[in-house]
Amino acid sequence: MPTDRPQPAFVLVRPQMGENIGAAARAMWNFGLDRMRIVAPRDGWPNPKSVAMASGAGRLLDEAQFVDTTGEAVADCHYVFATTARARGLTKPVVSPERAMQIAAERIAEGEKVAVLFGPERAGLENDDIARANAIINVPVNPEFASLNLAQCVLLTAYEWQRAASEIIPERVDMAKARWAEQIEIEKLGDHYEAQLDEAGFFFPDHKAQSMKLNLRNMWSRMALTGTDVQMLHGVLRQMVRWKQRDG
């Protein structure tokens, strides 16, 4: 059964290749979408090529709604987007995929049903399809090669839905059982290096020594060190000192 997660319906209008239907299902499920509607697939249904291409997302195909016309596919929807590179003479609001899915999230949160139309591979949506949409989604692609593969377009739109509907952490560090070093550890690391470098005569000439020590401390503070990193850097310095003493 489909999940209870509020989401738009993705409508594949007259898709031609079974492989693209399966790839679209896989792209949807990558981002937690499972409301697929299919309008008059060219090669009929079921299509074994779709199932093979869907991989682990085959249940989306099992639960997909099949209808004969675009009108039937969006009959229960309050707001409809059409993905197309060309408005074809029709006056429509044109939005980016990012903005479209923001609008979709806002409307779905208010209890509305939203659908996104994706056209057939060869020529895209026809005017009769686009005329049923409230707005057009236009992907900012290379104007000299504007045609997107059906599954690619579905993937791109599904990704923008995930961004609009979920809290996305833009950057993180996987700590792999490590922990960030505390300031006292960084301070002691600086002390260790400063003492050994001082003994080695590194801080020369004397009138530049204080500035060099300050720069060294500043370097340690800029480095994102874990506790393990600090221990390793202490060990590196100790081993170098032992080696120098042995060599001497």
Side-chain angles (χ1 to χ4, degrees):
M1 294 294 291
T3 64
D4 295 331
R5 186 183 302 114
Q7 60 184 268
F10 277 22
V11 182
L12 310 188
V13 179
R14 299 179 298 280
Q16 296 169 323
M17 297 179 62
E19 293 90 340
N20 281 335
I21 299 174
R26 185 171 181 175
M28 288 175 63
W29 191 230
N30 280 148
F31 297 100
L33 294 166
D34 59 7
R35 309 290 166 77
M36 176 181 279
R37 301 179 183 184
I38 303 177
V39 179
R42 182 191 65 182
D43 296 336
W45 199 261
N47 188 318
K49 292 181 179 179
S50 296
V51 176
M53 194 67 183
S55 187
R59 77 170 186 82
L60 269 72
L61 302 178
D62 295 336
E63 296 161 358
Q65 297 180 24
F66 289 86
V67 294
D68 294 325
T69 67
T70 303
E72 292 177 77
V74 299
D76 64 337
C77 296
H78 302 92
Y79 201 89
V80 178
F81 292 100
T83 58
T84 179
R86 306 177 297 279
R88 303 189 183 187
L90 297 174
T91 301
K92 295 279 188 186
V94 179
V95 294
S96 67
E98 179 182 18
R99 179 58 186 147
M101 292 301 96
Q102 289 171 351
I103 294 170
E106 292 165 3
R107 289 182 171 273
I108 290 172
E110 294 173 357
E112 295 186 19
K113 291 185 178 181
V114 176
V116 184
L117 303 178
F118 300 88
E121 296 89 322
R122 184 176 180 182
L125 294 168
E126 297 179 356
N127 276 10
D128 285 346
D129 304 311
I130 299 171
R132 298 179 184 278
N134 300 94
I136 288 172
I137 297 176
N138 190 241
V139 180
V141 294
N142 177 5
E144 296 181 5
F145 191 61
S147 177
L148 277 176
N149 172 272
L150 171 59
Q152 290 175 329
C153 192
V154 168
L155 179 69
L156 188 153
T157 309
Y159 167 70
E160 292 296 351
W161 165 257
Q162 179 80 337
R163 292 183 64 210
S166 305
E167 182 180 356
I168 305 298
I169 300 174
E171 183 177 351
R172 71 175 192 271
V173 176
D174 291 333
M175 295 300 289
K177 298 182 180 179
R179 60 169 181 81
W180 293 118
E182 297 174 358
Q183 285 296 318
I184 187 62
E185 294 175 285
I186 303 297
E187 187 76 15
K188 289 182 177 179
L189 179 66
D191 291 342
H192 187 188
Y193 271 76
E194 186 174 307
Q196 293 298 333
L197 290 172
D198 201 8
E199 184 176 337
F202 176 77
F203 299 113
F204 180 85
D206 289 343
H207 70 276
K208 291 187 177 180
Q210 192 58 38
S211 176
M212 294 172 71
K213 291 178 181 180
L214 182 63
N215 288 337
L216 186 62
R217 293 282 177 172
N218 192 47
M219 181 190 74
W220 294 124
S221 69
R222 290 201 313 271
M223 298 173 68
L225 297 173
T226 66
T228 302
D229 295 333
V230 170
Q231 291 173 11
M232 183 183 70
L233 288 168
H234 277 299
V236 167
L237 187 55
R238 291 190 189 101
Q239 187 60 30
M240 291 178 68
V241 170
R242 292 191 193 104
W243 172 80
K244 179 62 176 175
Q245 292 171 344
R246 186 171 61 248
D247 185 59

